[in-house]
Every structure is written in C-alpha cells, then in structure tokens.
Amino acid sequence: MKSFLKFTVSAIAGAVLLTAPAVAQAPAPPPELASIPVSLLVDIGSGQVLVQRRPDVPFLPASVTKVMTAFVAFEEIDAGRLPINRKFQVQPETSREWFAKGTTMYLTPNDRPTTKDLLHGIMTASANDAAIVLAQGYAGSVAKWTARMNAAAKSLGMSRSHYNTPNGWMDEGHTYVTASDLVKLADAMITRHPQLYREFSGRKHYFWRDVAMRSHDPTVGVVPGADGIKTGYTREAGYNFLGTAQREGRRLVMVLAGSPTYVIRDKAARDLLEWGFSQWHARHLFEQGQTVIEARVQDGDARAVPLVANREVHATVPNGDANEPISLSVHYRGPLQAPLRKGQQVGELEIKVGSLAPGKIPLYAGRDIGKAGPLDRLLNGIINLFS
C-alpha cells in the first residue's frame, strides 16, 4: 500500500482542515537523555517536537545567552544600521573588568575590533568581553542593549525568557530562558539571517591577533550536517547546548540544559541528532514559497491572498510508518483585513502525524494586498453577488 495524505476539506472560522486517521508511535529516544533535566528536539520543517522534557521550565542559559546578542546584531546588520566592519572602542573599565574573566578575547583599550571580530569572538570562542564591548559600543550601555534583547525576545514570542546580561555571566538568576523559546530564537536566526548564520555559526577556530579561539561545540565536525549553535556553562547552570544540524532538506534544532558534565551533554547531543535523522523521515508537503491555501481578504484590492511558508514544509514520520496518514489544518483569523504586506505572518499550518503531537509552521502573505479603492469595492460587490 502506498503512503498517502488524505484530504477532507472544510472551512470553519478561518481554518481549513485536511483530516485522516491517527495511529503513529514515536521511537524511544536515546538513553543518554535520562540524566539531563531539560531536553528538546524539534524538526523545524514540520514544527514537530520529536523529544521533550520540561520544554517550558525556565533555566539559566549561561553563555547560550550570547545567541540572543548575536541575533540582535544580525538584525541590526541586515537592517543596514550596524556595518560589519565598524570599529569599536574598548573602554578601560570594560577591559579591567572583563580581561581574562571566563572566556575572552583579551581586549584592551588599544584594540579596535570590528563588528565581525566581535561576533566571531562571541559565537566561536564565547568571549565575554566581546559581548560587553558590542553591547556598550552599539547601544551605549549594557542596560540599553539588554532592552533590545528583550524586545527581540518578545517579538519572537519568547514569552518565558528574560535577558539581563549580554554574555550570560552569573546574575543571580535575572537571565533565564526555556527550551521552547530557544528553538524559536534558533529558527529565527537561521531563517531570517542565513548568510550571517553561516558566517558566524559552526566555526571550530578563529584567530584574533595572536589569540587562538576555539569552539566547544560537541557536534560540528562530528555529526554530519551539524553547523552550530552555542554551548554554555556555569556552576549554577550546568552544561547547556543549543545545537542544530541539516541533512537532505531537514533541519533539527536541539536544546540540552542542566547536564551534570560536559561528557554527558556532548554524547547526548551527538546521539540525539543522529536519532532524529535515523529514526524519522520526511514526507514532503510544500516547497518554500509555494501556496498552501488562498485566504479570503476583506476590503482589499484583491479578494484573496496566497498563504506561503518561508521554508520547505514536510511531515516528520517515524520510520516503519511509511503508510502513516497525515492531517493538516490551516488557521487564520478570517477574513484577513487589508492592507497586507508580503511576508507578513497571518496564520499557521498545523501538521499532525497519527496520534503524535502536532507541529506548527508559520504562514505568511505571499504578496502585497492594498486597501480597496472605489472601483475595487464595486467589482468585488458584483463578484460577490454572483459567487
């Protein structure tokens, strides 16, 4: 019997439902996860959670905090506000406080690191001083920079996370995140800023002057397709990791937090990614930018807008369930109200494989829809009379 996707379509309050029976069973995860308090593995092409333990319980991120600092910098670079070759002044007090404090670039007041230098220091070496210099030099103060970090977190829907420091240095618990929120951050970093992500994530070594900096990423160069993102450790936080890998069109994002040793964390990270690729497979649904559905628009210069995804979309199916049927639902508040801009998020696609928890993929307006003019309203009224 061939695998299939059975469609039964109905429209209910802005949702389009495609339904099928449910019987899938998830494979058992790697045993190495047992001693790690927080774990999460998500296939971001389907939004499906493959493994989770305490995904919404806040924890101390340690240097994984620096991923948000890098993301804010990426946003500013791609918006044209932060030149990649801008040179930064190292304040004497910053050098005195952060020189050789944890992992650093050993920055001195005589140095003029560029944005590029600082981001390599932050993402490859986890340099604490680099994060402070970037924050102070661009925003004017650490407090103003962390306000940007929290604004970015809010915009990404990271509702259970808060940032009080740009580098994750111990701050009596004022900086905290959840695994679910970190997956949102990783997804946004990869999809919004792919070129910057490739430039600064997944490097094993970087040289700043005579300082050889190296990454502690346990998967890059070991797990095929692994390309980042960031480790973290303090005595209070334990050993953390936000990691990702891509193979054959599938990208997995993983969070491990609170591991008692780096040996346990590193083996769990490698085994979990391999498990995610070897025990599950993708059933292709939509190409990136392909119309998923046409949504009705009110008061627009067009009566409908295509809803599209900003990635290739698939269902993630356990191996051995090749014939597993899939159900899809498109949710949006309908009718959508004009005007709409291309790329504006307006809904989501829910993907369900059997009895497994559903995944959700954001959907965006596929083109601009302007406000209806008098002629548009007349034509739409005539069309509505005969439709």
Side-chain angles (χ1 to χ4, degrees), residues 265-293:
R265 176 199 65 188
D266 293 358
K267 187 173 191 322
R270 293 189 288 264
D271 289 354
L272 185 56
L273 285 175
E274 290 290 1
W275 174 86
F277 286 115
S278 66
Q279 297 300 310
W280 303 76
H281 65 276
R283 294 259 300 279
H284 177 76
L285 297 174
F286 303 98
E287 297 290 346
Q288 180 178 345
Q290 180 182 349
T291 298
V292 174
I293 198 170

Side-chain angles (χ1 to χ4, degrees), residues 9 14 17 30 35 50 89 101 113 208 211 247 256 306 361 375 381:
V9 183
L17 309 177
S35 60
L50 309 186
Q89 173 73 50
K101 188 174 181 179
W208 157 250
V211 179
R247 291 187 202 168
L256 300 175
I361 297 294
L375 181 58

Side-chain angles (χ1 to χ4, degrees), residues 83-148:
I84 196 73
N85 292 317
R86 171 180 166 175
K87 292 184 178 181
F88 284 77
Q89 173 73 50
V90 180
Q91 300 299 325
E93 58 271 22
T94 301
S95 180
R96 284 194 299 270
E97 181 179 357
W98 292 99
F99 190 88
K101 188 174 181 179
T103 305
T104 74
M105 290 175 68
Y106 302 97
L107 295 170
T108 74
N110 295 324
D111 292 321
R112 295 293 185 272
T114 64
T115 305
K116 184 176 180 178
D117 294 326
L118 294 174
L119 283 171
H120 277 300
I122 289 165
M123 291 294 285
T124 300
S126 194
N128 291 314
D129 55 352
I132 298 296
V133 169
L134 177 63
Q136 292 176 335
Y138 184 74
S141 69
V142 165
K144 290 180 179 178
W145 180 265
T146 55
R148 290 174 179 268

Side-chain angles (χ1 to χ4, degrees), residues 57-232:
V57 174
F59 62 87
L60 305 179
S63 285
V64 177
T65 299
K66 296 182 178 83
V67 179
M68 179 57 87
T69 283
F71 177 76
V72 171
F74 289 1
E75 293 273 280
E76 297 303 297
I77 292 168
D78 278 348
R81 295 185 290 264
L82 175 57
I84 196 73
N85 292 317
R86 171 180 166 175
K87 292 184 178 181
F88 284 77
Q89 173 73 50
V90 180
Q91 300 299 325
E93 58 271 22
T94 301
S95 180
R96 284 194 299 270
E97 181 179 357
W98 292 99
F99 190 88
K101 188 174 181 179
T103 305
T104 74
M105 290 175 68
Y106 302 97
L107 295 170
T108 74
N110 295 324
D111 292 321
R112 295 293 185 272
T114 64
T115 305
K116 184 176 180 178
D117 294 326
L118 294 174
L119 283 171
H120 277 300
I122 289 165
M123 291 294 285
T124 300
S126 194
N128 291 314
D129 55 352
I132 298 296
V133 169
L134 177 63
Q136 292 176 335
Y138 184 74
S141 69
V142 165
K144 290 180 179 178
W145 180 265
T146 55
R148 290 174 179 268
M149 296 170 73
N150 287 312
K154 182 178 180 181
S155 73
L156 297 177
M158 298 173 62
S159 59
R160 299 185 183 183
S161 298
H162 182 265
Y163 293 95
N164 186 60
T165 168
N167 59 16
W169 193 259
M170 295 163 284
D171 65 352
E172 300 181 340
H174 294 295
T175 296
Y176 53 86
V177 297
T178 68
S180 295
D181 283 352
L182 285 180
V183 169
K184 293 176 183 177
L185 174 58
D187 189 348
M189 174 177 273
I190 293 163
T191 56
R192 288 192 194 182
H193 308 289
Q195 292 182 333
L196 291 169
Y197 175 77
R198 287 192 296 270
E199 168 69 20
F200 294 105
S201 183
R203 290 181 176 262
K204 295 296 286 184
H205 302 279
Y206 185 74
F207 284 88
W208 157 250
R209 290 190 281 103
D210 57 345
V211 179
M213 302 185 293
R214 70 181 184 89
S215 168
H216 293 94
D217 190 303
T219 60
V220 172
V222 180
V223 176
D227 56 7
I229 301 176
K230 191 76 191 66
T231 59

